[in-house]
Amino acid sequence: MQLNELSARSGISTASIKYYLREGLLRPGEAVTATRARYGEHHLRRLELIQALRQIVGLGIEQIRTILSAADGGAPRLEVLATVQRVVLQLEPHGTEAHDAKGTSGEAPRGEGVASARPGDAVVRLRDWPDEESDARSALDAQLAHMEALGVPVSPEVLDAYSAAMDTIAGLDLQLTAEAADLDRAILTAAVGMHMHSQLLLKLLALAQASHAIRRFHGGSA
């Protein structure tokens, strides 16, 4: 298909498509003449992905470029999905001073060359999650340390209940991503899912809390 047809089928203006081409977000079409190119179904899928990342997830061009550069650069799928998670959820890259050197408590790790206990160790062992470095692991460590420093530590019982629920939800999410036919579709499923499902979880939690409060306190009972 030519540019006009690509625009019509995607619902994206030719000006926007040309912009994505210039920015390297969309690969060039197959040259037909010096001024014309032919585009395929993979261009349609990429445009769908770009539009979803912009309009649904709310990412900017540079954030989209970060994700697509990982995908187009031949990175393993695990690395691409980690990049999607870091960008969509705005996680700090692991290995940064803020997370790994001092965390949020401002205290340096104890001991030279000795692995220090980390706030998330207990839940990783409890859920039998792979104990590997990741942005998500660093973010959890930082959050738990921050809560501890503020005097609102998370009890083992609460961490057990929360992590069990999240483990089930994450398994469902990853199943949908794994079923994607190609990498662009996997990125689309993961990014939209992370963005929308995280909001859905908060709304469900709010309703569950309200429902428990109604059951307990309805009618003025203490």
Side-chain angles (χ1 to χ4, degrees):
M1 76 188 88
Q2 295 181 10
L3 182 61
N4 286 338
E5 183 181 354
L6 180 63
S7 174
R9 291 184 60 184
S10 65
I12 300 172
S13 68
T14 57
S16 293
I17 294 174
K18 290 178 180 179
Y19 173 69
Y20 296 148
L21 287 166
R22 289 195 304 272
E23 290 296 316
L25 304 181
L26 184 67
R27 290 180 175 176
E30 178 186 357
V32 176
T33 68
T35 58
R36 296 170 63 187
R38 181 183 297 116
Y39 301 92
E41 295 298 319
H42 62 284
H43 289 95
L44 273 174
R45 291 193 296 271
R46 174 56 62 90
L47 287 172
E48 178 187 9
L49 173 58
I50 293 171
Q51 288 299 92
L53 293 176
R54 293 194 71 181
Q55 297 180 358
I56 299 177
V57 185
L59 300 183
I61 292 298
E62 289 306 316
Q63 292 173 304
I64 295 173
R65 191 195 313 281
T66 298
I67 293 173
L68 298 185
S69 293
D72 294 340
R77 181 167 291 205
L78 180 60
E79 183 178 329
V80 174
L81 293 178
T83 300
V84 173
Q85 185 183 58
R86 180 173 65 252
V87 172
V88 173
L89 300 182
Q90 300 182 18
L91 304 179
E92 291 289 337
H94 71 277
T96 60
E97 181 180 356
H99 276 311
D100 297 332
K102 294 186 179 179
T104 56
S105 65
E107 297 180 0
R110 300 176 181 177
E112 289 290 338
V114 178
S116 301
R118 298 170 63 178
D121 285 348
V123 71
V124 168
R125 289 192 298 268
L126 180 65
R127 299 268 74 88
D128 195 27
W129 289 335
D131 191 9
E132 298 185 8
E133 292 295 338
S134 67
D135 304 328
R137 174 63 196 273
S138 293
L140 175 64
D141 286 338
Q143 181 64 29
L144 290 173
H146 182 57
M147 295 176 72
E148 181 77 28
L150 291 176
V152 285
V154 182
S155 70
E157 294 77 17
V158 169
L159 201 56
D160 182 14
Y162 275 42
S163 63
M166 295 303 102
D167 191 54
T168 299
I169 293 168
L172 294 173
D173 287 347
L174 262 294
Q175 182 61 38
L176 293 174
T177 301
E179 292 172 354
D182 54 54
L183 187 54
D184 274 13
R185 178 60 61 175
I187 294 172
L188 175 62
T189 303
V192 172
M194 289 174 193
H195 178 67
M196 300 305 297
H197 290 178
S198 61
Q199 296 181 45
L200 175 61
L201 286 173
L202 289 176
K203 303 306 186 293
L204 285 170
L205 177 59
L207 178 58
Q209 291 169 338
S211 298
H212 277 270
I214 291 169
R215 288 175 183 153
R216 178 166 297 190
F217 302 117
H218 185 67
S221 59

